[in-house]
Amino acid sequence: MRGLDSTSQVLYSSGMIRGKERQRTVRMKSSRLWRKKARCPATSQPINAQPQQMEMEAGTSTPKTPVVDLSALLEQTVFGDEEETESREGPTGMDTAATEQWRDAIPEDGYAVEESPPISIEQFFEMTGIGFVELTAPRRSLHPSQISSQKPRNPTEASLAECANVMAIELPQLVLYSRVCQDIEERIQKSKADFEQMEDEAAKMTPELFLEYSGADQESQKELVQCLNLIRKNTRLRARSDWYDWKLEWIEDLKHTAENAFTNLQNDARSLEKIKAKADEIVPQLQQEYDEIMRELEAEKVEVAQIEECDQDYLNELKNTIAEQNVEVESLRAEVKEADDQLHWLEERLENIAEQKREATAGIAEANRALHLQTNSTGAEVFRLKNELKALEDLHMFHVSKVQSDTFEYIYASEYHVIIPCRDYYPVTKEIDILRLPEMRTKSKDSFPRLTSFLLSAAKEHVRRSKASTVRHIVQVLADFWSSGKQLRNQILQLSFKYPVEIEARQTPEKPFSEFAARTMILFPAKKAKAYVSFVFDSDTFSRWPLSVNSLRWEVQIGYGSINEQSVVEAISERMSEVSPSHTYACMIDACIEVQEACG
């Protein structure tokens, strides 16, 4: 593969060496000839033949431009001793005449170039006897006797170790061999193309080395052949070194692949050892079970053989008897199952009766205790019951103050006094009255007196519309109403922390105490504007707050300034759309803050 690539290198190196030697030889011979002609100008050979003679002596086939070595003339001149020079070489005019005669002999258009026959690279190799490695030569490292003549085996006969060896070692070698062969083929094709290109170039213009060799004498040809042999040997050794380096890379890759495969095999071996250890623990037990089963099988085979030797008619009769007995056994099993079901039902019935007995016993004991208290109660028991009653009243914020057939009165949360007129303990809802305790007016300041008055009147109207038929129902309705009012008051109180709030009652004769509005004022200092926002609560909204938060309405009125009313409404709607019955904390003040940030 390196043979064709090194051809151009050999030709180039040899041409450079021989070109330099030729120039040096031409100069030396031209100098000697010029000295000879300078000393003997009257020679029989004409001066105009000197260039041709110099070129022929130099061993070239083409004439060159004559070279005049002035050192040959100058070294003969010695300043201060002109007489000695004239006596040795003759008159000075003779040297000048010879020089002018030689110069005039050169033609104006130069010497004609002699054309030599073209020499190809193959012809040059035949002339010099130099050859390179033949790329198509068969491999000599493999003898035909070494080729295996075994027939291919059946794949099922290959052992696991052979398969592992093939996958880890031989298969990577085959893959590498295929890749290397492909690479070598590509390089061979490239080298052939380069060689053909060099052949074409040599056919167009014969290299100077070929001309030098063809025109040189035998001694020069031997020197040139020796130089070419040294270059060829150097090139071959370099190619072999590159080949060994390349082959070393292949071996390193194969070694790395084999080491990885060996590591994987070691890991597999360790895993198999663990599996084998587990199998060794299980196999003896399985072997013991297998032996036991085989012994039972042998015993059953013996029994079967004995049965086959018995009277078959008698055996058939026994089989029929056994079948009849099996039918009777199945019927008995059905009866037993039915009896078990009946027993289970009776046990459940017994448990129910026992539970009823326990409940009856507990009821009798409670009745006896109540009877005992009625007949033999003491002051301690009375005080204990009063304390329990007071704890229950505090827990439910419900304190009964009067219970009669015509009146039921109680105090809720130590703040409201509820009077329910009755007729034989049945409430008259139209005459119900709710008052605020007088001490609450002086105990704490009411932040929203209008709201308090409105809610008291609305509570009466709410009870009338609820159509409650019992005192318990009325108490429950009012408890829910006041719980909603308490949370609603907290919302309005939070709004008043940042913005002024005014309560406006809105009602009609047809619908008294139907709704109210919490009106607040929002300032926009940057735009020098003011807007009024009213949150409107109808009867369903303030009686069921916060479950009715989605029914809350709002109204916007621009006081002054360049504020868009629609922008304010959209800001409030965006904030209130995020509110749910479980997330209503400070929703009104958040909506006002959103308006101030969006429009201010």
Side-chain angles (χ1 to χ4, degrees):
M1 183 178 63
R2 289 282 183 173
L4 294 177
D5 291 338
S6 60
T7 304
S8 58
Q9 183 178 0
V10 172
L11 298 178
Y12 177 77
S13 301
S14 302
M16 291 292 294
I17 295 172
R18 299 303 300 171
K20 292 180 180 180
E21 292 180 355
R22 175 183 171 278
Q23 292 178 3
R24 185 168 59 253
T25 304
V26 169
R27 287 193 178 95
M28 292 175 63
K29 292 184 177 182
S30 299
S31 178
R32 289 196 300 269
L33 291 174
W34 176 247
R35 291 192 187 99
K36 185 185 295 183
K37 295 299 180 180
R39 292 189 181 96
C40 302
T43 181
S44 60
Q45 187 177 0
I47 296 177
N48 55 4
Q50 290 177 359
Q52 183 70 20
Q53 182 180 359
M54 288 188 292
E55 293 297 331
M56 295 303 293
E57 290 179 359
T60 59
S61 60
T62 56
K64 299 290 182 176
T65 303
V67 179
V68 179
D69 192 357
L70 297 179
S71 61
L73 299 176
L74 296 176
E75 67 182 0
Q76 302 296 332
T77 304
V78 180
F79 295 97
D81 196 5
E82 295 180 357
E83 295 179 357
E84 184 179 357
T85 303
E86 291 178 359
S87 62
R88 186 174 60 250
E89 295 183 355
T92 307
M94 186 179 294
D95 295 338
T96 304
T99 302
E100 292 178 354
Q101 184 180 4
W102 178 83
R103 185 181 300 169
D104 294 337
I106 299 174
E108 295 180 358
D109 54 352
Y111 295 98
V113 179
E114 295 182 2
E115 295 184 358
S116 59
I119 302 174
S120 65
I121 297 176
E122 294 292 342
Q123 293 175 353
F124 179 74
F125 285 164
E126 292 177 359
M127 293 167 58
T128 57
I130 297 174
F132 291 89
V133 178
E134 180 62 33
L135 298 177
T136 59
R139 180 180 176 183
R140 293 176 296 176
S141 60
L142 185 63
H143 194 270
S145 61
Q146 299 177 356
I147 301 176
S148 177
S149 60
Q150 296 181 358
K151 296 182 179 180
R153 294 190 305 172
N154 189 359
T156 58
E157 298 177 358
S159 62
L160 184 60
E162 292 176 348
C163 294
N165 186 21
V166 169
M167 294 300 295
I169 298 176
E170 297 182 4
L171 183 60
Q173 290 180 357
L174 292 176
V175 173
L176 178 62
Y177 178 77
S178 301
R179 187 172 68 250
V180 170
C181 289
Q182 184 178 0
D183 190 9
I184 291 176
E185 289 178 357
E186 293 177 357
R187 295 199 178 194
I188 289 174
Q189 296 299 329
K190 184 178 181 302
S191 299
K192 288 182 178 180
D194 295 341
F195 187 79
E196 291 177 358
Q197 183 179 0
M198 293 172 61
E199 284 281 8
D200 295 339
E201 293 178 357
K204 294 178 182 178
M205 183 178 66
T206 304
E208 186 177 357
L209 176 62
F210 297 177
L211 299 177
E212 288 283 348
Y213 183 82
S214 62
D217 53 5
Q218 292 183 358
E219 183 179 357
S220 299
Q221 288 181 355
K222 289 181 180 180
E223 293 177 357
L224 183 58
V225 169
Q226 184 179 3
C227 181
L228 292 176
N229 287 328
L230 292 175
I231 294 174
R232 181 189 63 175
K233 187 174 183 180
N234 180 40
T235 304
R236 282 186 175 180
L237 293 176
R238 288 173 56 191
R240 184 173 298 177
S241 176
D242 294 341
W243 171 258
Y244 289 158
D245 293 340
W246 197 17
K247 193 172 182 180
L248 179 61
E249 293 179 2
W250 305 342
I251 295 174
E252 292 294 336
D253 294 340
L254 293 175
K255 181 180 178 182
H256 181 67
T257 304
E259 289 177 352
N260 291 337
F262 182 69
T263 303
N264 295 333
L265 289 176
Q266 288 180 337
N267 296 333
D268 294 341
R270 286 191 290 269
S271 301
L272 291 175
E273 287 178 359
K274 296 179 181 178
I275 297 173
K276 185 176 180 299
K278 294 180 180 179
D280 292 340
E281 296 177 358
I282 301 173
V283 166
Q285 183 179 359
L286 296 177
Q287 184 66 33
Q288 185 178 0
E289 294 178 358
Y290 174 76
D291 296 339
E292 184 67 23
I293 292 172
M294 293 303 296
R295 284 193 295 271
E296 293 178 359
L297 178 61
E298 293 296 333
E300 290 179 356
K301 287 182 178 180
V302 172
E303 293 179 359
V304 169
Q306 293 177 357
I307 292 172
E308 290 178 353
E309 293 176 358
C310 296
D311 188 2
Q312 298 298 324
D313 296 335
Y314 179 68
L315 291 177
N316 292 331
E317 184 179 355
L318 291 177
K319 288 180 181 179
N320 294 330
T321 304
I322 292 172
E324 293 175 358
Q325 291 178 356
N326 288 334
V327 173
E328 294 180 0
V329 169
E330 290 296 330
S331 62
L332 292 175
R333 286 178 179 175
E335 292 178 0
V336 170
K337 183 179 180 182
E338 184 178 357
D340 291 338
D341 294 339
Q342 187 175 3
L343 177 62
H344 182 66
W345 179 80
L346 291 174
E347 289 177 352
E348 291 181 352
R349 180 64 178 167
L350 179 61
E351 291 179 359
N352 293 333
I353 293 172
E355 183 67 24
Q356 293 176 3
K357 180 181 177 182
R358 286 192 295 270
E359 292 178 357
T361 303
I364 292 170
E366 183 67 22
N368 290 332
R369 190 182 69 82
L371 179 61
H372 179 73
L373 290 176
Q374 291 178 3
T375 56
N376 300 318
S377 63
T378 60
E381 186 68 19
V382 172
F383 285 118
R384 186 181 65 81
L385 294 176
K386 285 184 178 180
N387 292 333
E388 290 181 0
L389 179 61
K390 188 176 183 303
L392 291 173
E393 289 178 348
D394 294 339
L395 178 63
H396 296 282
M397 295 184 294
F398 176 83
H399 176 68
V400 179
S401 60
K402 185 178 181 180
V403 178
Q404 293 180 356
S405 61
D406 58 347
T407 304
F408 181 85
E409 298 180 6
Y410 72 95
I411 297 174
Y412 180 80
S414 301
E415 185 175 0
Y416 301 104
H417 184 201
V418 182
I419 302 173
I420 305 175
C422 299
R423 293 177 183 174
D424 295 334
Y425 298 102
Y426 286 97
V428 181
T429 56
K430 294 182 180 180
E431 299 178 3
I432 190 172
D433 191 13
I434 303 174
L435 303 174
R436 193 180 184 196
L437 295 177
E439 57 269 20
M440 293 301 299
R441 299 176 182 177
T442 59
K443 186 176 181 180
S444 61
K445 182 181 178 181
D446 191 358
S447 301
F448 306 103
R450 292 184 181 179
L451 179 61
T452 303
S453 176
F454 178 84
L455 291 178
L456 285 175
S457 302
K460 300 176 186 178
E461 189 65 25
H462 181 67
V463 172
R464 296 188 184 101
R465 289 197 300 266
S466 65
K467 298 180 181 181
S469 58
T470 61
V471 174
R472 179 181 295 179
H473 192 189
I474 293 174
V475 172
Q476 185 176 359
V477 169
L478 288 176
D480 295 340
F481 181 84
W482 278 318
S483 176
S484 300
K486 184 68 174 177
Q487 297 186 50
L488 190 59
R489 182 183 290 270
N490 291 335
Q491 289 282 349
I492 298 174
L493 183 62
Q494 291 170 356
L495 180 61
S496 66
F497 291 159
K498 187 174 179 62
Y499 305 99
V501 179
E502 182 181 358
I503 304 299
E504 297 178 354
R506 299 180 181 181
Q507 56 184 347
T508 59
E510 294 80 8
K511 294 182 179 180
F513 308 104
S514 58
E515 64 181 22
F516 74 94
R519 190 167 184 264
T520 183
M521 179 181 65
I522 303 175
L523 297 177
F524 303 93
K527 294 186 177 181
K528 297 181 180 181
K530 179 173 67 174
Y532 295 96
V533 178
S534 299
F535 295 95
V536 182
F537 301 86
D538 56 12
S539 59
D540 183 67
T541 302
F542 64 73
S543 63
R544 296 177 58 249
W545 187 271
L547 298 177
S548 59
V549 65
N550 294 326
S551 62
L552 176 64
R553 295 182 290 112
W554 48 87
E555 299 174 355
V556 178
Q557 181 182 359
I558 304 301
Y560 58 84
S562 58
I563 296 297
N564 189 359
E565 181 179 346
Q566 185 63 26
S567 301
V568 177
V569 173
E570 290 178 356
I572 297 174
S573 301
E574 183 178 359
R575 175 62 183 90
M576 297 304 293
S577 63
E578 302 174 358
V579 178
S580 63
S582 59
H583 298 84
T584 59
Y585 182 78
C587 61
M588 296 168 61
I589 188 173
D590 287 347
C592 294
I593 293 173
E594 288 286 341
V595 170
Q596 202 167 17
E597 291 179 354
C599 302

